Amino acid sequence: MNILLFMIGCVFTHNIVFDRLLGVGDAGKDRRVEVAAVYGLAVCAVMTLTAVCAWAADSLLLTPMKLDFLRVPAFTLIAILISLLGQVCLGKVKPAWLEQLEGCALPVAANVAVLGVALMNAEAGYSFAYALLNGLCSGAGFLLAVVLMAGVREKLEFSRIPAPFKGMPITLISAGLIALAFIGFKGMA
Amino acid sequence: MKLHLTPAPHVHSPQTTRALMGNVLLALAPCAVAGVVIFGAPALVLMAVSVLSAVAGEACWQRLTGQKVRVNDLSAAVTGLILGMNLSPRAPWWLAVVGGLFAVVLVKGLFGGLGDNFLNPALAARAFLLVSWPRYLTTWAAPLAADAVSGATPLANPSGYTLGQLFLGNIPGSIGEVCKAAVLVGFVILLCTKTITWHIPVSLTLSTLVFCGLLGYNPIAAVLSGGVLFASVFMATDYVTCPMSTKGQLVYGVGAGLLIALIRKFGLYPEGVTFAILLMNVATPLIDRYTKRRVYGYEKEAKA
Amino acid sequence: MDNRFVKGLLRDNPLLCLALGVCPALAVTTYAVNGLALGVITCCVLVCATLVSCLLGKVSSEKGQLALYMMVSAAFAAVADLIVKANFPELSAALGIFVPLTAVSSLVLSRAAFAVDNTPGEAVADVLGMGIGYLCAMTVVGVVRELLAHGSVFGAAILPGGIPSIALPAGGFLVLGVLMGVFKAIVGKKDEEEDAQA
């Protein structure tokens, strides 16, 4: 039951974009819904794998050797390698999707959310299971956020937004209103 | 000539909007009257302040941004009234002002005005007020009527009230929500004037009934507690923020009902309706995308 | 105003105009002092990473360049984290993972290409403008948010109370979004006036 609550928490109550405030810039980028879905899945995959590898690196290498301070560079390197690997794999399996991502594999790694989750796991001292679930569910939450925001953006395409607010300002305000709605999930996990 | 693109429904002539909004105000009247009868003068004051703030706020914003002042389309008045009805009669008047301004400027004005917002303004304002000043919105007043009961709202104390009381509204609660009979009258008025269709209110109410029942609540009491009926008739049906196709509307209603049940059972907030509908508002563009009506005359390509 | 430095402050303000470094701005600006601190830290990491990258020289592929820059900034972010943890424990607790996250701050990474194509002097001048612009913006957002949420500025009580929800993530989004819009409106007007004069 605890695990289920933890998972629900990661996806909804502590949604990585609307509650933990990571990956906001990426979530709000101008994309169609389909592209947003692919991007979200990519980030989710990278986030999960990075979380797992980072956990391994941290528990097996860094912490025993008291090298915690190397976490940041180490996790960054892991994220870079994983997303490069992912880009290569995707290119072989589903090139169409890769095109949609417009070759932005590295920005996927550079996503604040990816590194953030890995660091969160390390600092909270999660076990393997929780680290994996945190990565996976935060990723799912990210996917949800990206798709929802893309949907709202599409609706706003015809809106007569005042000129200074067009673009990022209104995106942030929209995100704020969505975050307000997500407060409804408080208390669930 | 500047061509102005908007998605359907294309209601932009102030005349048509005004007529529509007029119907909504008419439909809201029974609830407003009931609210004043049950809670007295404070209810009237709050509703009045709310309407005034919303209308004034929208007028000022439109002036400020160099647009034509269009408050006579009555949409701001409707937003204000609905917001006012969502408040506890004991809420301070300034809460209504803040809420009204939040609704018309932040949720509606910044996005472009009527038709351009993605969240129902009154609902979003209520959520903001609830999160910012929880105690003002959760302190209730005893009704004035003779056989009134004071104490916790039905949501907090489900077994403390009879179904009859829940239906007529001699209970603590928000101004416009308590008298379900008045809500139903309003629903009928809206249906008869063809302002709304039955799909959303019915699907939302039934869905709430079913899911609350599944989660262990008395289903009828659940539907009659809190703002389910009021919201399903007046807030979830806002054209701008609900799906356009009937299939979409049914999905929307069912989804909202599910969320209401989940939030009431597992979440922090006893009400749930506010956030449930807001979340469905957020999902509406996606729902619309995947439940598009087939355009008349368009035939699906024959599969090779 | 063609001065690169001033541009970084106003027209090209990284936070308020270019929307870089948004996540930290949302998370830590609940108190002005936190906003200021993280702004300073980000600026330092940015300048150091740029300088070192510049000195290390160009790498063949674009991806390789970005990866190298990321590793350099990760190193400096780690150092910054250590320094803050050691000397300012309360600040470290308040800023949390956002100090090490400056490694992948969009602000820092957006300067990767620029770093190598110029001389160290030019590169540093450029990022210094942006870094200080960011730092000022973070402080302003922090001041506004702290005032609205807690009624204080840098800890000094000014108003009797505040709207606590502004300190929540939702409030952060709304305040930042509105400030951005207002800032753009003001800077935009200034630009128009200048263009009219030119």
Coordinates of all heavy atoms in Angstrom, one line a residue, chain A residues 11 32 36-38 45 65 83 134 144-145 154:
Chain A
V11 N 3.4 10.9 -9.1 CA 2.7 11.3 -10.4 C 1.8 12.5 -10.2 O 1.9 13.5 -11.0 CB 1.9 10.2 -11.0 CG1 1.2 10.6 -12.3 CG2 2.7 8.9 -11.2
R32 N 3.3 20.5 -30.4 CA 2.0 19.9 -30.6 C 1.8 18.8 -29.6 O 2.8 18.2 -29.1 CB 1.8 19.4 -32.0 CG 1.8 20.5 -33.1 CD 1.5 20.0 -34.4 NE 1.7 18.5 -34.6 CZ 2.8 18.0 -35.1 NH1 3.8 18.7 -35.4 NH2 2.8 16.7 -35.3
A36 N 4.7 16.4 -27.9 CA 4.8 16.5 -26.4 C 4.8 15.1 -25.8 O 5.6 14.8 -24.9 CB 3.7 17.4 -25.8
A37 N 3.9 14.3 -26.3 CA 3.8 12.9 -25.8 C 5.1 12.2 -26.0 O 5.6 11.5 -25.1 CB 2.7 12.2 -26.5
V38 N 5.7 12.3 -27.2 CA 6.9 11.6 -27.5 C 8.0 12.1 -26.6 O 8.8 11.4 -26.0 CB 7.3 11.7 -29.0 CG1 8.7 11.2 -29.3 CG2 6.3 11.0 -29.9
A45 N 11.8 7.9 -19.9 CA 12.8 6.8 -20.1 C 14.1 7.2 -19.6 O 14.7 6.5 -18.8 CB 12.8 6.4 -21.6
M65 N 32.9 5.0 -0.9 CA 34.3 5.6 -1.0 C 34.3 7.0 -0.5 O 35.2 7.8 -0.8 CB 34.8 5.5 -2.5 CG 34.8 4.1 -3.0 SD 36.2 3.9 -4.1 CE 35.6 4.5 -5.6
S83 N 21.2 9.4 -22.4 CA 20.4 10.0 -23.5 C 21.1 9.9 -24.8 O 20.4 9.7 -25.8 CB 20.1 11.5 -23.2 OG 21.2 12.2 -23.1
N134 N 10.6 6.2 -8.1 CA 10.6 7.7 -8.2 C 10.9 8.1 -9.6 O 10.3 9.0 -10.1 CB 11.7 8.2 -7.2 CG 11.5 9.7 -7.0 OD1 10.6 10.3 -7.4 ND2 12.5 10.3 -6.3
L144 N 2.7 13.5 -18.2 CA 1.4 14.1 -17.9 C 1.4 15.6 -18.1 O 0.6 16.2 -18.8 CB 0.8 13.7 -16.6 CG -0.5 14.2 -16.2 CD1 -1.6 13.6 -17.0 CD2 -0.8 13.9 -14.7
A145 N 2.4 16.2 -17.4 CA 2.5 17.7 -17.4 C 2.7 18.2 -18.8 O 2.0 19.2 -19.2 CB 3.6 18.1 -16.5
E154 N -2.5 24.5 -27.2 CA -3.3 24.5 -28.5 C -4.6 25.2 -28.4 O -5.0 25.9 -29.3 CB -3.5 23.0 -28.8 CG -2.4 22.3 -29.5 CD -2.7 21.0 -30.1 OE1 -3.9 20.6 -30.2 OE2 -1.7 20.3 -30.5

